[in-house]
Amino acid sequence: MIPKVATPFDASKRIHIGKWFFLVLCAMVSAIIFVLFFVQLPTENTRLGIDLLFGFLRNGDIVYIKTDGLRNPPWSVVPLMLLAQFPDKVAWGLLVYITAFVLILSVPRTDKKWHLFLAMFLVVLSFPTFRIFADAQIDVLVLAGMLGVIYAFPRQQPIIMAGGLLLASAKPQMVFIAFIVIGFYILSAWKPRAWLGLGVLLLAVVLPMMVWRGADWIAAMQGTYQAGTVMDITLGAALNRLGFIPEWVTHGARLIILGMSLWAAWRQRVILSRELVGLLMAASLLLAPYAGGNAPIILLAIAAVPLMYRRFWVGFLLLVSVNLLAIPHFTLAVDVSAYWTTAYILVLWLVLIWDVLTTKPTPHLLQNTPTDS
């Protein structure tokens, strides 16, 4: 009997399967390492894991309390209920692992490999990233959601767009202006069948969730006791804490930011670039009723990395200078840390406004990508 000789196709197929097996194995080993590290992490009498909220997502339920705890929309945290079935520290390690993975995945590919690896290094090893890790923040939902939105928009894919919007709404204060613009873009550029399908999908998820836990969520949102304090990095809170800025100046600054952001979106029209999304998210944080200070790295991962590919020193300096936010923490000047973050986001917004308004919009994939609907 003549033995079967592997054809080139068979050999390449085995190599391909072997690569995937190796990648999956590496991913599993990495996840275990993360979990073991956080399981052994001493957290007693520290502020580590201060936002660890898996206890509110157990037993198939979502628990909201008005004083402190979970404040994210019910539909956005359902994916975390699987993690919540593990002990807190195990879930924390897995959350950090997933966050690091999505941050790496968020870096767009480029032919200049040193740009790629530099961007990954600056994003994953930045001070705000470690703050998200240490606090057990769920900003990864916003990042993953907005990446899904950016991917789905030019391809008119309602399912991916719906999933992205639902995830990104985990922190409405980061995305509410972006959502307004994205909604306008969708109605302007998508075929009726596509945007109607998107609306049906969103309603099919949001309405039952609102009936189930909507009232509790809204009540919890009204208990944001940190609004206006040193934990609040919005522009209004920063100016009000100074104590000598007239109210009309604060309102005027807000109107300028909103007007310029919408003008940039109108000028770019139906071209949903990452830089525009980052600009709109920065505006959302500055104008929100309340926002915490761990958000800058999400904006940078979305907008500053592709900006660095085009305008190297501008994007590079944004990614490096974000680490200056560590200075108030290391010097225990907690009362000024919010000002630093507000100032940084304002600078980021100004840079992105300049970039969007001075860059000629590129032809959109919407014109030459087949739709899936």
Side-chain angles (χ1 to χ4, degrees):
M1 186 176 187
I2 300 174
K4 183 180 179 182
V5 179
T7 64
F9 174 78
D10 293 333
S12 63
K13 188 175 181 180
R14 288 196 190 99
I15 293 173
H16 182 71
I17 294 173
K19 286 181 178 179
W20 276 108
F21 177 79
F22 178 73
L23 288 174
V24 171
L25 181 63
C26 289
M28 293 176 63
V29 171
S30 301
I32 292 171
I33 292 172
F34 271 78
V35 168
L36 291 176
F37 174 81
F38 280 90
V39 165
Q40 298 176 25
L41 194 64
T43 57
E44 293 75 14
N45 301 318
T46 72
R47 294 179 62 83
L48 292 173
I50 190 172
D51 294 318
L52 198 63
L53 301 174
F54 290 109
F56 299 100
L57 298 171
R58 293 204 169 102
N59 303 316
D61 198 4
I62 301 175
V63 178
Y64 291 99
I65 55 178
K66 198 167 185 178
T67 53
D68 199 4
L70 200 66
R71 291 196 177 88
N72 313 90
W75 54 84
S76 67
V77 294
V78 166
L80 296 178
M81 295 180 77
L82 180 61
L83 287 183
Q85 306 314 306
F86 296 100
D88 276 353
K89 288 189 176 181
V90 173
W92 185 11
L94 290 172
L95 176 64
V96 170
Y97 173 74
I98 293 169
T99 302
F101 180 80
V102 175
L103 281 170
I104 292 172
L105 195 65
S106 73
V107 177
R109 299 304 176 255
T110 175
D111 293 334
K112 295 182 178 180
K113 296 301 181 184
W114 71 274
H115 275 188
L116 176 67
F117 292 117
L118 177 63
M120 289 180 178
F121 177 84
L122 293 175
V123 167
V124 176
L125 299 181
S126 73
F127 171 73
T129 299
F130 284 111
R131 276 292 310 276
I132 290 175
F133 292 169
D135 293 347
Q137 282 280 338
I138 60 173
D139 295 66
V140 63
L141 296 178
V142 181
L143 176 59
M146 293 310 293
L147 291 174
V149 167
I150 293 166
Y151 175 85
F153 176 75
R155 296 166 177 81
Q156 296 197 35
Q157 294 184 343
I159 296 176
I160 297 177
M161 176 63 76
L165 292 172
L166 292 169
L167 282 177
S169 66
K171 295 198 170 184
Q173 68 272 24
M174 291 179 64
V175 296
F176 70 97
I177 295 177
F179 275 19
I180 293 171
V181 171
I182 290 166
F184 173 76
Y185 275 19
I186 288 172
L187 292 175
S188 300
W190 280 26
K191 295 178 181 178
R193 180 183 175 185
W195 61 255
L196 282 171
L198 172 62
V200 170
L201 289 171
L202 291 175
L203 289 175
V205 174
V206 172
L207 286 181
M209 288 289 180
M210 286 298 291
V211 171
W212 180 40
R213 284 291 179 262
D216 295 338
W217 168 55
I218 293 172
M221 288 287 287
Q222 296 170 354
T224 307
Y225 62 90
Q226 293 176 328
T229 68
V230 293
M231 302 300 295
D232 192 346
I233 56 99
T234 61
L235 182 65
L239 296 179
N240 289 337
R241 284 195 305 270
L242 291 174
F244 58 85
I245 304 297
E247 191 172 347
W248 66 268
V249 173
T250 301
H251 292 320
R254 285 171 167 165
L255 286 174
I256 290 172
I257 291 173
L258 178 61
M260 289 293 293
S261 300
L262 294 179
W263 165 245
W266 174 258
R267 182 182 177 278
Q268 190 155 315
R269 278 202 278 294
V270 302
I271 296 180
L272 195 64
S273 68
R274 289 174 64 140
E275 293 85 351
L276 177 63
V277 170
L279 181 160
L280 297 172
M281 292 178 69
S284 298
L285 286 168
L286 292 170
L287 303 182
Y290 168 77
N294 291 341
I297 195 58
I298 305 302
L299 277 62
L300 291 175
I302 289 174
V305 172
L307 179 61
M308 187 180 76
Y309 291 172
R310 293 186 297 104
R311 307 180 193 257
F312 177 79
W313 286 108
V314 176
F316 176 76
L317 289 174
L318 284 173
L319 287 163
V320 170
S321 61
V322 74
N323 294 291
L324 295 175
L325 299 178
I327 294 176
H329 294 272
F330 290 150
T331 59
L332 301 180
V334 180
D335 53 335
V336 300
S337 62
Y339 290 112
W340 284 65
T341 307
T342 304
Y344 181 83
I345 294 175
L346 183 59
V347 169
L348 175 62
W349 177 82
L350 288 168
V351 170
L352 292 174
I353 277 283
W354 162 75
D355 179 69
V356 170
L357 292 180
T358 57
T359 301
K360 183 178 180 180
T362 55
H364 206 276
L365 287 172
L366 187 69
Q367 305 303 324
N368 46 35
T369 301
T371 63
D372 297 332
S373 57

